[in-house]
Amino acid sequence: MVRNFDSGESSFGRYQAALDGYLAVMLDWYRAAGFPARFSWLMLGPMPTLTLVLGAGLWFSAMGDLSVPRWLGCFWPAPAWPRR
């Protein structure tokens, strides 16, 4: 908060310097965290996961280790918590 009386100019200068410092820290943090966040969204998103499950299911079905109905059951949406 800036005082409206008695050395307001120096108070505003300190306030502005603090805001500039905060902005610099936040911009550095955003730059540092930007790539890891985008990369994790890319790798852990739904399409790579579904592609992996699809490939694994095709592989195990072709080898005879997994029946097709059981494999397709993996794609059926299930509730997170059992209902009472």
Side-chain angles (χ1 to χ4, degrees):
M1 197 187 272
V2 177
R3 292 183 286 174
N4 290 330
F5 56 90
D6 178 280
S7 75
E9 210 170 292
S10 65
S11 293
F12 180 75
R14 288 193 309 268
Y15 179 69
Q16 189 63 40
L19 283 177
D20 291 340
Y22 176 74
L23 177 64
V25 168
M26 289 302 295
L27 288 176
D28 287 342
W29 183 78
Y30 283 141
R31 279 189 211 104
F35 176 73
R38 287 189 306 272
F39 184 74
S40 66
W41 274 100
L42 179 67
M43 288 293 111
L44 299 175
M47 287 308 290
T49 303
L50 285 174
T51 303
L52 182 67
V53 171
L54 177 67
L58 288 173
W59 174 263
F60 286 125
S61 293
M63 294 295 140
D65 294 334
L66 180 66
S67 67
V68 174
R70 182 170 289 193
W71 170 60
L72 290 175
C74 294
F75 295 108
W76 189 261
W81 298 100
R83 295 183 183 181
R84 293 181 185 196

